[in-house]
Amino acid sequence: MEKFTLLNGLVVPLDRANVDTDAIIPKQFLKSIKRSGFGPNAFDEWRYLDHGEPGMDNSTRAINPDFVLNQPRYQGAQILLARENFGCGSSREHAPWALEDYGFRVIIAPSFADIFFNNCFKNGLLPIRLDATQVDGLFKAVEAHIGYQLVIDLEKQTISAPDGTVYPFEVDAFRKHCLLNGLDDIGLTLQHVDEIAAFEAKYHATQPWL
Amino acid sequence: MSVQTLYDKLWNSHLVRQDADGTALIYIDRQLVHEVTSPQAFEGLRLAKRTPWRIASMLAVPDHNVPTTNRAAGIADPVSRIQVETLDANCAEFGITEFKMGDIRQGVVHVIGPEQGATLPGMTVVCGDSHTSTHGAFAALAHGIGTSEVEHVMATQCLVAKKSKAMEIRVEGVLGRGVAAKDIALAVIGQIGTAGGTGYAIEFTGSTVRALSMEGRMTLCNMAIEAGARAGMIAADDTTFAYLKGRPFAPEGEQWDKAVAQWRNLHSDAGAVFDATVVLDAARIQPQVTWGTSPEMVVAIDGCVPDPASMTDAVKREGAERALVYMGLKANTPISEISIDKVFIGSCTNGRIEDMRAAAAVARGKKIAANVMQALVVPGSGLVKAQAEQEGLDKIFIEAGFEWRDPGCSMCLAMNDDKLAAGERCASTSNRNFEGRQGQGGRTHLVSPEMAAAAAIAGHFVDVSKQ
């Protein structure tokens, strides 16, 4: 997993609540047996005017000029600003894979769905919860200033805005450690292999039918 | 702690270790596997030269991509076919039990687990699918996980987790005629919203829940994720045990008796404290119909499409306005005046035998309306299909004009050929009415099996409780 430490990135505002993982990556792209290459189909149904299918040459498809990600001022954005309950619905990890492959490293929203939130950390993506008023303020600022960037410092747990405002954010200590160091959970868990084996033996002794 | 919730009991009995910040390793009893969210996990294992920790804990089935007609011809879509073949190859390589497409035990992963007795009370159950919450109906701690976690559980038999808060949703009283578990689920989501359960594990309690069959309880727990909760659960009781006894993966003889004795403790203790409690009166729940693009956009059958102009919250209002445009609906339209093009009866929410019976009871001796272009009945498993055929339900459906299909996820998420065309409107017993869920531009109204069958006959939504 790619490390995350400090990011100075362009922000794109996606102004709708309850963005679900079906919207982030539609089901037809879930047929892939790989975990890369989903970026061109992130938000496929909103981003293109035609119906997308796996294997299409996305560079020749007609894009929807009204969709915010397609606007020239937001090209190269690495920070996605979103509304409540972002990532609800399906547990598909293809959603964070698609966002990461598109180029995002940070998502800021007032709230996230649990499974999506969890999946982000496994893929070098940092989801940040800010309160709804702060998020509202950021939406206004992004829309008012072309080229609006934020500095995300994971070590210090701060978001710094161009006007000097600093927004502190919360992040789980274990997840922060993994992101800062690009650590894979499995390797960490396997450090406890004896504890797991001991638990398992005792557990199965009391419930032999399992 | 002497007084515990069911969630406390399940959490504590699987806790391998816990760090000071609350990050824990939870032991996993059962991992269910399907073709969509597993290939990358198997590939990860291979790349790291790891093997699954406990093969016997895994049970695999292809369901999302499988065709529901003409299976003898195989899977026509080459991309889908490769995904199913990849599951077959991975299961063969690691020695994992798999119910392949031709197996009568094949079906939707959340239907076959309980049907086989592979889901048992007191278990922790995971699957790379958000509707894993279904299995909580058996007093199990069951939740959906991402593919990285699928790989993690394969390699370590554990999940890294932090304990959620506990929410009690208590439903008391007797459900009215024609009101189903699905209506309870939708009414709950209508009340608390799709993020209302975020950060919580939900336990459904109360006399109404106790009176539900296992099929109804599964429908309720299945939709916990649509309320934002990763896990939904219901205490174990005689209904649970009666359902499980004699199933292939369930214990037998003396082991069964010992297991039941332990399982009887799987309930929240009297006086257990929840972080939040929501109470519903069953008598006030009517058949529900969603009108928008989120399961919380729901009203009772005698209601109308709401008017966004009357909504004070700006985010909600904009969401409703966008939903009405997508759904092609006008504010204040009575729900009963919405006519439909297609019907889908099936899915992990409502693809069990009881759902088939409920829909067939409405369809018996009737014909689907002329404006309904297609009405699919997709049983949740090969065994559900066989049972339904033994009861003659297939004939009732076929005579009424429904198509009787082979088991799979089908039009719930439309990864196979069963999908809506743009603008088509569907009465569906599935779980999500998101934009494009049943096909790009398709318009989904979530309902119970009874309501879907009644809509198929009438050509528009009707109140089954008044029929």
Side-chain angles (χ1 to χ4, degrees), chain A residues 210, chain B residues 27-34 37-38 41-42 45 51-61 87 90-99 109 112-113 116 118 123-127 149-157 249:
Chain A
L210 289 176
Chain B
Y27 186 80
I28 300 301
D29 294 305
R30 175 71 67 204
Q31 172 153 225
L32 300 165
V33 178
H34 66 83
T37 55
S38 67
F42 282 113
L45 281 188
T51 49
W53 180 288
R54 190 162 184 262
I55 304 277
S57 69
M58 296 165 72
L59 178 61
V61 69
L87 178 68
N90 283 326
C91 290
E93 179 184 337
F94 292 107
I96 296 162
T97 303
E98 183 198 5
F99 299 154
V109 66
I112 68 135
Q116 291 295 319
M123 273 186 166
T124 43
V125 181
V126 295
C127 176
E149 292 174 314
V150 168
E151 183 183 341
H152 188 279
V153 175
M154 284 180 182
T156 70
Q157 209 59 39
F249 286 63

Side-chain angles (χ1 to χ4, degrees), chain B residues 76-160:
Chain B
D77 176 357
V79 194
S80 290
R81 190 172 63 239
I82 288 169
Q83 199 164 50
V84 172
E85 287 171 354
T86 302
L87 178 68
D88 294 349
N90 283 326
C91 290
E93 179 184 337
F94 292 107
I96 296 162
T97 303
E98 183 198 5
F99 299 154
K100 292 189 190 180
M101 199 168 79
D103 192 314
I104 192 171
R105 299 169 296 178
Q106 180 268 339
V108 182
V109 66
H110 307 306
V111 175
I112 68 135
E115 184 174 80
Q116 291 295 319
T119 303
L120 294 172
M123 273 186 166
T124 43
V125 181
V126 295
C127 176
D129 190 287
S130 60
H131 291 108
T132 309
S133 59
T134 309
H135 307 266
F138 292 84
L141 176 57
H143 48 66
I145 56 178
T147 297
S148 293
E149 292 174 314
V150 168
E151 183 183 341
H152 188 279
V153 175
M154 284 180 182
T156 70
Q157 209 59 39
C158 291
L159 191 66
V160 179

Side-chain angles (χ1 to χ4, degrees), chain B residues 5 21 25 49 54 62 81 88 131 143 168 178 208 219 221-222 238 269-270 277 296 303 370 410 442-443 449 456:
Chain B
T5 62
D21 75 341
L25 279 184
K49 298 192 170 31
R54 190 162 184 262
R81 190 172 63 239
D88 294 349
H131 291 108
H143 48 66
E168 179 186 29
T208 318
T219 300
C221 289
N222 172 278
D238 288 333
D269 297 326
T277 297
E296 70 185 23
S410 181
R443 295 162 172 166

Side-chain angles (χ1 to χ4, degrees), chain B residues 151-189:
Chain B
E151 183 183 341
H152 188 279
V153 175
M154 284 180 182
T156 70
Q157 209 59 39
C158 291
L159 191 66
V160 179
K162 266 193 170 178
K163 199 173 176 189
S164 303
K165 291 178 284 183
M167 179 185 286
E168 179 186 29
I169 295 184
R170 193 163 71 233
V171 194
E172 298 284 3
V174 180
L175 287 174
R177 199 173 141 266
V179 182
K182 181 67 162 285
D183 300 308
I184 304 177
L186 289 170
V188 165
I189 296 163

Side-chain angles (χ1 to χ4, degrees), chain B residues 180 182 345 350 354-356 358-360 362 429 447-454:
Chain B
K182 181 67 162 285
I345 297 173
N350 283 125
E354 194 177 83
D355 303 313
M356 302 289 116
V362 173
T429 67
V447 288
S448 71
E450 294 89 328
M451 286 289 286

Side-chain angles (χ1 to χ4, degrees), chain A residues 16 22 27 30-31 34-35 46 51 89-90 93 114 118-119 172 186 189 192 195 200 203 206, chain B residues 14 17 27 29 40 53 77 83 147-149 152 162 199 262 322 413 415 432 435-437 440:
Chain A
R16 48 170 95 188
D22 275 80
K27 82 278 300 200
L30 272 51
K31 295 176 185 179
K34 298 183 184 149
R35 64 192 303 158
W46 294 343
H51 174 74
S90 156
E93 198 162 319
D114 286 342
N118 210 31
N119 284 341
D172 177 273
I186 297 179
T189 299
H192 305 295
E195 253 176 291
E200 185 173 52
Y203 178 76
T206 60
Chain B
H14 292 83
R17 56 171 285 124
Y27 186 80
D29 294 305
Q40 298 86 352
W53 180 288
D77 176 357
Q83 199 164 50
T147 297
S148 293
E149 292 174 314
H152 188 279
K162 266 193 170 178
Q262 283 198 24
R322 190 179 289 123
L413 88 166
M415 269 186 85
R432 292 192 174 131
E435 284 186 22
R437 174 79 178 180
Q440 189 165 1

